[in-house]
Amino acid sequence: MEDSKILELYFQRDENAIKETSAKYGAYCYSIADNILHNKQDCEECVNDTWINAWNSIPPQRPVKFKLYLARITRNLSFNLFNSRNTKKRGGGEMHLILDELSECVAGRDNVENEYIAKELGQSIKQFVSTLPERDANVFLRRYFFCEPLSVIAERYALTQNNVTVILSRTRGKLKKHLEKEEYFL
Amino acid sequence: MNTEALFISFNEIDDELLERSEKTEHKKSVIKIKWLLSASCFGILALAVILINGLNLPDKLSSIFPTEEYTDYTNPFNDNPAFGDEPAVVTSIDKNLSVTQDTQLNLPLFVNPYPMGHGGAEYVVDDNIEALVNNNLNSFLSVLGIPVVENTLEFNNRSANMQGFLTDGEHIIASPTHIAVVVDEETPFNYNMADDELIAAIKENVYLTAMCRYLEITSPVINVEITKNFDNEIYDVSVKIYQNDDDISQRILNSELNCVKLIFNKTGYSCICSFKDTSTTISGQMLSFSEAAEKAAVDIEKGLKACTVMYLENIVSGYHMPCYVFVVKDIEYSMDGYLYEYPQYVVPMYDIEAIQNSSSLN
């Protein structure tokens, strides 16, 4: 079913909306959750919560890119679960590495309100990514938005894994400079 | 600001950018490999080709990438090394093997009877293969003059490798196409050696000299390649030895299909003797230099830094495919004008589909 028709179901408060969303985007959202959580039960919980979140937020919202709207919800829910269940301690897999990599770009002040900072920082990140060459931006987003393993990114873009590592490393270097310039390093 | 805030902030990325990243790129017949040959940022490459003919030592190391091009550049990762000991990917162009549009080449396409995949050998590893590997090993050992430690030999059916120990720290591996000796002890080679010291150490090494004798390399070319990590420290040194020849095509064949490699770092070294089965050739129309450059959209006059030829096994499974490798200075990905990549465009010389179609018509 086309996204526009699925969205109409949401607006009509027809519960088939969830069924259709699950049928079309279940595997997609599961893969995003799995990249972060690496736990079947947690992933299923996150994906189910994604449908509930979508049900509660549409309407009033009418997402232009429904798939990415769901991706964002799944990503947020998975990350929250990753933190709340202390998944790190039982081996959060790829997320460990991803957070370690991102830690290169930031400095200090752990106790600042994350949500507030993230919103403001998001504008800066958005601007940064839009200045990157297409290939580098794609690789960067697959890693830090979709949390994909290096091997998957390499396969997606017909690159070597080492090549992906180097692109990410260079882009993190650029991001660090960008954040310094924007005075996010205080 | 902390890492979690940074992670969450990615939610603000535009849908268009996220959607763009969803597309998949498939490998094409022209393959652009970003090997990142930027010695400025990755501190990579001191490439040297040494021709030793008998006892004639070279005057000086030469490099296809002029050293002065990189020396003034800052390593942007010095302050915050990207990933510790991980080396940057590196490959090099051996000046002795570089080709231009005027070079006359005659390089056949070979069937590869021993293709390897991620899951191991993609050919049937039967008793004949085991006998072949055993024969390779014994032939090499007879040249080497050192026996395998008793009862250590094992044949691995998946990889078609036979492994054993020459001594406690010297591991030997044989396959249908390779003999390797891995030494996990203090290496007689070090990073600070001058050219003549390195050559002397190579000549004194029993494994390397045995491998050269085994491959009947009497007039060797030595190609030295140094890989550095992000901290600008040497990660490893790779030395390739092959038989010299006046004919460029034969030099390429020697270097790709019949060569000895030495790789060393601080923790040890390995010698690899590589001999590809070249018994079956396939005939077809070979792509010229100019046609290949056009296919890769390489501007011969402006952007081309160097070109060489490599035989690659992973381009078309089941073949040793000769490929032009165009190295181009990539301004597009430069960072602040001082950080360059040297992507390589790999263009296969033969069109397998055309060959297969023509043979099926016959």
Side-chain angles (χ1 to χ4, degrees):
Chain A
M1 186 182 278
E2 285 177 16
D3 286 355
S4 58
K5 288 185 178 162
I6 298 176
L7 286 171
E8 275 315 308
L9 293 175
Y10 278 96
F11 274 83
Q12 290 161 13
R13 308 312 289 162
D14 182 339
E15 289 183 5
N16 281 323
I18 291 181
K19 193 177 143 198
E20 294 297 337
T21 308
S22 175
K24 189 169 181 182
Y25 293 118
Y28 175 73
C29 290
Y30 186 94
S31 72
I32 293 171
D34 190 44
N35 287 341
I36 296 173
L37 295 163
H38 295 283
N39 179 286
K40 189 169 180 274
Q41 203 177 344
D42 287 351
C43 290
E44 284 168 357
E45 184 183 326
C46 268
V47 172
N48 286 332
D49 286 350
T50 301
W51 311 149
I52 294 164
N53 267 262
W55 178 256
N56 289 336
S57 57
I58 309 171
Q61 295 199 48
R62 185 185 282 272
V64 179
K65 309 275 185 192
F66 186 44
K67 182 182 178 184
L68 294 169
Y69 182 78
L70 297 170
R72 281 193 171 86
I73 297 175
T74 310
R75 181 180 187 267
N76 288 343
L77 292 172
S78 303
F79 188 58
N80 288 342
L81 198 60
F82 172 81
N83 282 331
S84 67
R85 292 206 176 165
N86 211 6
T87 320
K88 292 174 199 175
K89 282 186 182 168
R90 69 167 189 243
E94 207 67 30
M95 266 317 281
H96 257 318
L97 299 173
I98 287 169
L99 292 176
D100 278 353
E101 288 165 14
L102 287 177
S103 70
E104 290 174 13
C105 310
V106 299
R109 300 215 314 183
D110 274 359
N111 297 324
V112 183
E113 291 284 336
N114 278 350
E115 292 285 340
Y116 173 76
I117 289 284
K119 190 83 181 165
E120 192 185 309
L121 180 61
Q123 296 306 314
S124 183
I125 297 289
K126 189 165 113 177
Q127 187 208 345
F128 168 75
V129 175
S130 65
T131 63
L132 292 173
E134 181 175 340
R135 179 206 62 175
D136 295 6
N138 289 346
V139 168
F140 195 65
L141 292 176
R142 295 322 295 181
R143 182 66 174 163
Y144 301 118
F145 184 90
F146 294 98
C147 307
E148 286 181 348
L150 301 176
S151 56
V152 172
I153 301 171
E155 180 76 16
R156 178 185 289 276
Y157 298 122
L159 297 165
T160 65
Q161 198 165 312
N162 207 336
N163 199 175
V164 170
T165 312
V166 172
I167 291 168
L168 288 172
S169 172
R170 286 184 59 172
T171 310
R172 286 197 304 274
K174 287 181 183 178
L175 175 60
K176 187 181 174 187
K177 280 190 174 180
H178 173 82
L179 294 176
E180 281 171 346
K181 200 173 152 194
E182 299 269 309
E183 297 183 344
Y184 277 98
F185 281 81
L186 296 174
Chain B
M1 183 178 63
N2 67 16
T3 310
E4 289 176 12
L6 182 57
F7 183 82
I8 295 166
S9 72
F10 279 78
N11 283 336
E12 302 297 317
I13 303 284
D14 285 338
D15 281 355
E16 286 68 28
L17 291 173
L18 293 173
E19 193 171 41
R20 189 181 68 181
S21 77
E22 298 263 333
K23 71 182 179 193
T24 303
E25 286 175 22
H26 296 289
K27 288 186 180 173
K28 297 169 187 163
S29 59
V30 176
I31 298 157
K32 184 182 180 187
I33 301 177
K34 294 275 191 175
W35 284 115
L36 301 162
L37 282 179
S38 162
S40 57
C41 96
F42 304 109
I44 291 175
L45 194 63
L47 167 67
V49 181
I50 308 165
L51 177 63
I52 57 167
N53 201 340
L55 292 172
N56 295 332
L57 296 176
D59 297 332
K60 192 179 166 195
L61 300 185
S62 59
S63 170
I64 201 153
F65 301 113
T67 312
E68 60 270 25
E69 189 171 340
Y70 309 116
T71 47
D72 292 337
Y73 299 137
T74 312
N75 178 351
F77 298 108
N78 265 346
D79 296 339
N80 187 13
F83 37 174
D85 290 337
E86 283 285 309
V89 178
V90 58
T91 190
S92 65
I93 299 291
D94 180 342
K95 201 171 183 178
N96 212 28
L97 303 174
S98 81
V99 297
T100 68
Q101 56 189 329
D102 299 325
T103 311
Q104 296 295 315
L105 289 174
N106 178 22
L107 293 166
L109 169 66
F110 295 108
V111 168
N112 175 12
Y114 310 113
M116 294 296 292
H118 294 301
E122 290 182 344
Y123 54 94
V124 179
V125 181
D126 54 16
D127 291 348
N128 290 334
I129 294 292
E130 188 169 346
L132 169 68
V133 174
N134 208 3
N135 183 51
N136 289 345
L137 180 66
N138 285 322
S139 306
F140 176 68
L141 289 175
S142 69
V143 176
L144 182 65
I146 301 172
V148 173
V149 175
E150 234 177 307
N151 300 326
T152 59
L153 267 185
E154 277 178 33
F155 186 77
N156 181 329
N157 236 52
R158 202 168 66 87
S159 61
N161 278 344
M162 190 170 274
Q163 305 193 34
F165 286 93
L166 293 165
T167 69
D168 283 348
E170 295 169 359
H171 190 194
I172 186 163
I173 304 161
S175 81
T177 55
H178 293 85
I179 304 282
V181 177
V182 183
V183 183
D184 296 325
E185 287 173 352
E186 198 175 331
T187 158
F189 311 98
N190 72 63
Y191 304 152
N192 301 319
M193 280 177 164
D195 310 343
D196 50 352
E197 288 173 324
L198 178 62
I199 291 165
I202 288 169
K203 285 180 175 177
E204 282 168 17
N205 186 276
V206 288
Y207 303 123
L208 286 168
T209 49
M211 284 177 176
C212 286
R213 281 207 303 278
Y214 185 64
L215 295 186
E216 298 176 346
I217 297 172
T218 51
S219 173
V221 177
I222 301 184
N223 179 49
V224 183
E225 186 180 300
I226 298 169
T227 308
K228 292 183 178 178
N229 67 15
F230 280 69
D231 296 331
N232 209 31
E233 293 166 343
I234 294 175
Y235 184 81
D236 68 26
V237 176
S238 173
V239 180
K240 193 174 191 181
I241 308 168
Y242 56 89
Q243 175 76 9
N244 192 27
D245 198 288
D246 290 339
D247 178 56
I248 176 74
S249 297
Q250 192 56 51
R251 277 204 302 277
I252 290 168
L253 289 169
N254 292 346
S255 75
E256 291 289 294
L257 306 172
N258 208 57
C259 68
V260 176
K261 246 188 167 186
L262 159 71
I263 300 166
F264 66 93
N265 57 28
K266 284 176 183 168
T267 56
Y269 71 98
S270 53
C271 308
I272 303 157
C273 173
S274 182
F275 42 92
K276 306 280 167 58
D277 185 326
T278 56
S279 53
T280 313
T281 57
I282 306 284
S283 54
Q285 186 64 41
M286 200 179 101
L287 210 63
S288 72
F289 181 98
S290 304
E291 287 167 333
E294 194 181 338
K295 205 171 177 186
V298 169
D299 186 335
I300 299 173
E301 301 300 324
K302 286 183 188 170
L304 185 63
K305 193 80 183 165
C307 181
T308 190
V309 175
M310 293 170 85
Y311 270 87
L312 300 175
E313 292 173 31
N314 56 355
I315 295 289
V316 182
S317 181
Y319 296 92
H320 292 298
M321 171 66 80
C323 300
Y324 291 101
V325 181
F326 296 98
V327 179
V328 180
K329 187 171 183 176
D330 196 337
I331 307 292
E332 187 192 344
Y333 286 110
S334 73
M335 184 172 157
D336 302 334
Y338 66 85
L339 196 61
Y340 296 105
E341 289 185 4
Y342 290 85
Q344 300 192 351
Y345 294 81
V346 178
V347 185
M349 283 189 179
Y350 289 92
D351 183 342
I352 290 286
E353 268 183 45
I355 291 168
Q356 284 168 341
N357 289 341
S358 119
S359 61
S360 66
L361 287 174
N362 295 337

